[in-house]
């Protein structure tokens, strides 16, 4: 298969596996999505979904959020980790949204990246999932799979994002980034990976990755 055929194989396989794509983080609007994505840094979506109902019961909009103290926010979000930095970020960005955006979440990656504790990946997820603007947020799953599938030699997520945007049609970016995340979790995880179940890597994967897998398997 040439590269274009590989790309089409990935698109078609993911479409068959995930025709209806669930959004991993529970939210009801752009603000609650922004907070949930911010909380998910170095944590799991499962843990974030356990914590956000408690936080949003107190404050599900920036006006109510700034009525809480940073310490109160931190106490609620402690189980997701990095709580001092995240609590400050949530309070600070809520204040900026009120002061500069009439309490609304801006629709541009550039504006979002200027908010406290909001990085490029968080901003990309928000514009893609809240506003339907094409973006390709790259997390650890996508970074791992793009390398395994020999579609990127990305040493970091910035390079991997560039490769993904170059290879995949823009109209599919928002679906694909979620489909690849689900696929990575179910079929191609970092730990406990079974190549036999991983149809995409088995079919188009990087030779060195497949050889390493069989070498390690034979030693077990």
């Amino acid at each position: 298969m040439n590269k274009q055929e590989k790309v089409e194989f990935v698109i078609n396989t993911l479409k068959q596996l995930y025709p209806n794509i669930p959004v991993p983080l529970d939210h009801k609007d752009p603000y609650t999505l922004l907070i949930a994505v911010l909380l998910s840094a170095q944590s799991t979506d499962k843990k974030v979904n356990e914590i956000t109902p408690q936080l949003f019961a107190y404050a599900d909009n920036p006006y109510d959020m700034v009525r809480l103290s940073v310490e109160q926010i931190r106490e609620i979000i402690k189980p997701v980790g990095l709580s001092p930095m995240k609590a400050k970020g949530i309070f600070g960005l809520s204040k900026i949204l009120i002061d500069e955006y009439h309490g609304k979440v801006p629709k541009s990656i550039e504006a979002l990246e200027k908010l406290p504790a909001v990085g490029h990946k968080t901003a990309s997820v928000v514009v893609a999932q809240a506003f339907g603007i094409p973006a390709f947020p790259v997390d650890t799953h996508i970074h791992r799979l793009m390398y395994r599938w020999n579609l990127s030699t990305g040493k970091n997520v910035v390079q991997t994002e560039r490769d993904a945007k170059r290879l995949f049609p823009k109209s599919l970016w928002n679906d694909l980034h979620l489909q690849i995340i689900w696929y990575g979790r179910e079929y191609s995880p970092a730990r406990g990976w079974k190549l036999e179940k991983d149809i995409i890597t088995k079919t188009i994967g990087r030779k060195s990755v497949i050889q390493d897998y069989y070498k390690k398997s034979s030693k077990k």
Side-chain angles (χ1 to χ4, degrees), residues 14 16 41 49 61 64 71-72 74 78 92 116 126 132 136 139 142 146-147 158 161 172 190 192-193 201 219:
L14 292 173
Q16 283 170 2
N49 287 338
N61 63 77
D64 288 338
E71 198 45 55
Q72 284 173 306
R74 186 189 166 188
K78 214 177 247 179
V126 171
F136 212 113
D139 72 347
I142 295 174
M146 288 289 288
Y147 182 82
V158 176
E161 181 183 330
L172 299 180
W193 175 38
T201 309
K219 286 176 187 170

Side-chain angles (χ1 to χ4, degrees), residues 11 25-26 54 79 95 100 102-106 122 139 160 167 170 186 203 218:
I11 292 168
L25 291 166
D26 298 339
Q54 298 167 47
K95 202 165 176 338
E100 296 182 23
H102 309 291
K104 300 276 187 230
V105 174
T122 298
D139 72 347
T160 302
L167 289 169
K170 196 172 186 176
E186 289 187 54
T203 308
S218 65

Side-chain angles (χ1 to χ4, degrees), residues 45-64:
D45 293 345
K46 184 173 181 285
K47 180 58 76 181
V48 173
N49 287 338
E50 286 167 13
I51 296 306
T52 47
Q54 298 167 47
L55 179 63
F56 296 151
Y58 286 100
D60 61 0
N61 63 77
Y63 297 94
D64 288 338

